[in-house]
Amino acid sequence: MKTILNIIENYTKDKHEKTFLKHSTSHVSWSVKSIFNNLWKNEENGNVPYELITHILDSYYHVPHRPDLAFNFCWQAINNSYNELIIHDSSKKRLLDSVGIKLLISKISANYDAKYKLLLEPYFEKVPKKLYNYVASFLLKGYAIESAGFDDKFNNSAYGTFCNNNSDLAKLIKDTYGESYKKLTGPTLEGTKVSMNIDESNKHKAHDITRSLASKLELLMKSEVVTFSDSTKTTNKKYSFSTEERIRFAILSILYASRCNNFHGNVAARLNSIYADSNTYKSYKYMYLLGHMVLAVSMNINGYLEDSDLHTLSVNTEFLNFA
């Protein structure tokens, strides 16, 4: 905290970069193949996504130093794109994120094997472990907070979104990992936040539970069948993801969950966090790359990108090596 205060008291960009953004400045050798359709150059063509392009430009401006900020602008373009899906659907009466994202996921899923599998599969196979840990953490803490009877406003919105959209899996997680994790906690309200109050003697066990759940989520995304068991073995059920569930996990539980936390200011700016490291940078690099491809796919669905334009973007998968 002293370091943060020292920077902001007499702010300079150089001091900021040397202190907190050093992880960014060591990863400057990548850029993405840009989204483009040659038909846009025809001035008579009225099908140019002007608003989308402005947000895409801002996202490119922040690559490679700030993939976290680049992702925010990329998501604004995705938001514009799924809003258009809502507008074209006469059964929908309001522009809501929940409605638009479901429409987008449904349309990707419907054409996944025929059109989008080759483009998205590399991203689903390369989710960084830090992001699985992130999802596992908000699920376990969310269940502990919910079980303790705190109002929803004290919980991570991503927890409610996950439970509402993955009810069967959410119940399995609650009945197994959730119960084991909850027993280690004693949630109390401290100021505006809930503290888990895990005893020092139990912190290693809580860490192991989180990592174990993260590994289960990783196996699900890699199309494997996993077994969820509770500590008494009374719950012992197998589960596997459908294609639509895999798409939903990537878009809702990784991209949208992060977008909501960042947009509403509920967490520290990731690359300014006192806990930021090279894995933090790599995670946001991944989210930007995945978001960029999801955006391109949504633009193809809306008719702004030809199939050939879409497939030129497959070269961006070369940046998915996070070793």
Side-chain angles (χ1 to χ4, degrees), residues 3 5-21:
T3 305
L5 295 176
N6 179 56
I7 293 173
I8 201 167
E9 182 180 11
N10 295 291
Y11 183 84
T12 68
K13 189 173 182 180
D14 182 63
K15 187 163 57 173
H16 189 180
E17 289 178 345
K18 286 181 178 178
T19 305
F20 278 108
L21 304 181

Side-chain angles (χ1 to χ4, degrees), residues 151-254:
D151 292 337
D152 288 344
K153 66 184 178 181
F154 294 109
N155 216 328
N156 191 324
S157 63
Y159 172 74
T161 298
F162 184 94
C163 293
N164 291 335
N165 288 278
N166 305 275
S167 56
D168 291 341
L169 178 58
K171 186 178 187 310
L172 274 178
I173 292 173
K174 291 177 184 181
D175 291 345
T176 55
Y177 287 94
E179 283 296 318
S180 296
Y181 185 86
K182 183 181 74 172
K183 291 173 183 176
L184 305 178
T185 69
T188 57
L189 187 62
E190 297 185 3
T192 60
K193 298 182 183 299
V194 175
S195 173
M196 290 292 103
N197 294 318
I198 299 174
D199 289 341
E200 193 65 37
S201 60
N202 286 324
K203 285 187 177 180
H204 184 72
K205 189 180 294 185
H207 180 273
D208 287 346
I209 291 171
T210 303
R211 294 299 182 269
S212 180
L213 176 55
S215 295
K216 281 282 197 294
L217 296 172
E218 182 176 12
L219 290 174
L220 285 172
M221 276 299 282
K222 291 182 176 179
S223 299
E224 296 192 29
V225 178
V226 302
T227 301
F228 286 88
S229 303
D230 65 3
S231 58
T232 65
K233 304 299 181 184
T234 55
T235 297
N236 192 41
K237 294 184 179 179
K238 295 184 181 299
Y239 198 89
S240 61
F241 268 167
S242 66
T243 294
E244 185 160 336
E245 284 176 305
R246 294 175 78 225
I247 298 167
R248 186 187 306 142
F249 184 87
I251 294 179
L252 271 178
S253 299
I254 295 178

Side-chain angles (χ1 to χ4, degrees), residues 22-39:
K22 55 183 179 293
H23 307 299
S24 302
T25 55
S26 64
H27 294 81
V28 296
S29 60
W30 66 279
S31 61
V32 293
K33 170 72 176 175
S34 59
I35 293 171
F36 193 75
N37 184 341
N38 281 318
L39 295 176

